[in-house]
Amino acid sequence: MMVSTKGRYALRVMIDLAEHQAEGYIPLKEIAARQEISEKYLESILKALVQKHFLEGLRGKGGGYKLTRPPEQYTVGSILRLTEGSLATVACLEEGAPACPRMAECRTYPLWSKLDRMVAEYLDGVTVADLMAKPEQGNEYVI
């Protein structure tokens, strides 16, 4: 699984909007400037997030975008599924994929299936609120 710029940017946008939710609707230009994302590309990401009711958009003066729910209710998994279409590690595990004729004797299927479950569980266990939390100072020591 490779997460595209669309998925990565969508996560950054959701965090940005969560951090500025007290300001009401946030204009696209402000989000684009803070996140250093082209306005045109950001428009397509925001459109998808609005269509799936992750965000609410308001046109005109005082308009912009805001979250429709608290940050704790958005999982990384749900955002990436929306932007990426799937989190499957192999084609045979894609939702709606035709049954593989080799599945019964496939030695690697259990490996990919378990990896898929682990990835989904992990990404569904992390919320936008979790990503908003800044790491504690002094905890960046690595051996």
Side-chain angles (χ1 to χ4, degrees):
M1 171 186 74
M2 174 86 73
V3 177
S4 70
T5 55
K6 187 174 183 180
R8 295 193 320 267
Y9 290 176
L11 285 173
R12 286 175 34 195
V13 165
M14 296 294 286
I15 296 165
D16 186 282
L17 288 170
E19 290 175 338
H20 294 91
Q21 61 188 336
E23 300 168 29
Y25 288 94
I26 309 297
L28 178 131
K29 283 183 182 237
E30 286 182 27
I31 302 165
R34 277 194 299 262
Q35 295 303 316
E36 299 177 344
I37 301 171
S38 103
E39 289 181 33
K40 188 160 181 73
Y41 192 42
L42 183 57
E43 236 173 67
S44 71
I45 295 168
L46 291 171
K47 182 180 179 183
L49 292 167
V50 168
Q51 286 175 338
K52 295 295 182 176
H53 307 289
F54 280 46
L55 301 179
E56 184 180 315
L58 181 67
R59 293 177 185 244
K61 186 172 170 66
Y65 298 88
K66 70 177 186 175
L67 301 178
T68 58
R69 304 186 303 261
E72 299 80 21
Q73 293 183 12
Y74 296 97
T75 68
V76 171
S78 66
I79 296 165
L80 291 179
R81 280 184 198 90
L82 177 118
T83 56
E84 302 297 321
S86 171
L87 299 177
T89 52
V90 290
C92 65
L93 292 171
E94 293 264 348
E95 191 172 315
C100 176
R102 296 182 39 97
M103 192 176 294
E105 67 265 357
C106 182
R107 299 278 183 93
T108 61
Y109 178 78
L111 167 87
W112 300 126
S113 181
K114 184 174 181 177
L115 178 60
D116 250 29
R117 282 192 310 276
M118 291 171 70
V119 168
E121 286 173 15
Y122 176 70
L123 295 177
D124 289 335
V126 179
T127 68
V128 168
D130 296 329
L131 297 177
M132 290 170 62
K134 294 188 167 100
E136 291 179 37
Q137 291 296 334
N139 262 358
E140 52 286 321
Y141 181 75
V142 179
I143 296 177

